Amino acid sequence: SFATAQRITTISSQVPTNTRSMTMMGGKKAKFGIFSPAVYGAKLALGEPKLNKLRGKAISLHSQVIGEFTQWSGSYHLRTKLIKLAKTNGDVLGFLV
């Protein structure tokens, strides 16, 4: 009916006042790179939860190595930049699909 159509239109056109709750974490869609087929194969073989757990451990270990290296070399202030660069490289190579 006309009243139902008007109600749906007004509900869908409302803008939330708190935009922070609407932001999504995770960023953009990952790129397809040279290692993407291997990641898809691992996802099929291990399952997505186990792959995500393994991926999380690998990222954690790599971040720890970066932190130890920057501390050893006296350039700890570059730690966050190197971790961001590692994430970008992982995306380009296809590890984050």
Side-chain angles (χ1 to χ4, degrees):
S1 86
F2 177 77
T4 307
Q6 289 300 321
R7 180 171 168 79
I8 291 172
T9 319
T10 57
I11 290 173
S12 64
S13 66
Q14 292 177 351
V15 178
T17 56
N18 185 2
T19 56
R20 282 188 137 180
S21 65
M22 297 295 292
T23 58
M24 295 181 65
M25 301 300 287
K28 60 188 170 93
K29 187 176 177 184
K31 297 176 184 172
F32 189 88
I34 192 166
F35 292 105
S36 295
V39 173
Y40 283 126
K43 189 182 285 188
L44 288 174
L46 299 173
E48 194 166 352
K50 196 166 186 176
L51 175 67
N52 286 340
K53 188 175 180 180
L54 180 67
R55 183 183 289 168
K57 283 184 180 181
I59 290 171
S60 175
L61 287 172
H62 192 235
S63 297
Q64 184 179 0
V65 168
I66 290 172
E68 290 173 358
F69 172 76
T70 55
Q71 191 171 16
W72 172 79
S73 66
S75 57
Y76 195 74
H77 62 283
L78 295 176
R79 179 181 174 272
T80 55
K81 287 183 182 180
L82 288 175
I83 290 173
K84 287 180 184 179
L85 179 63
K87 182 179 179 182
T88 303
N89 286 339
D91 187 25
V92 170
L93 292 174
F95 286 117
L96 303 178
V97 291

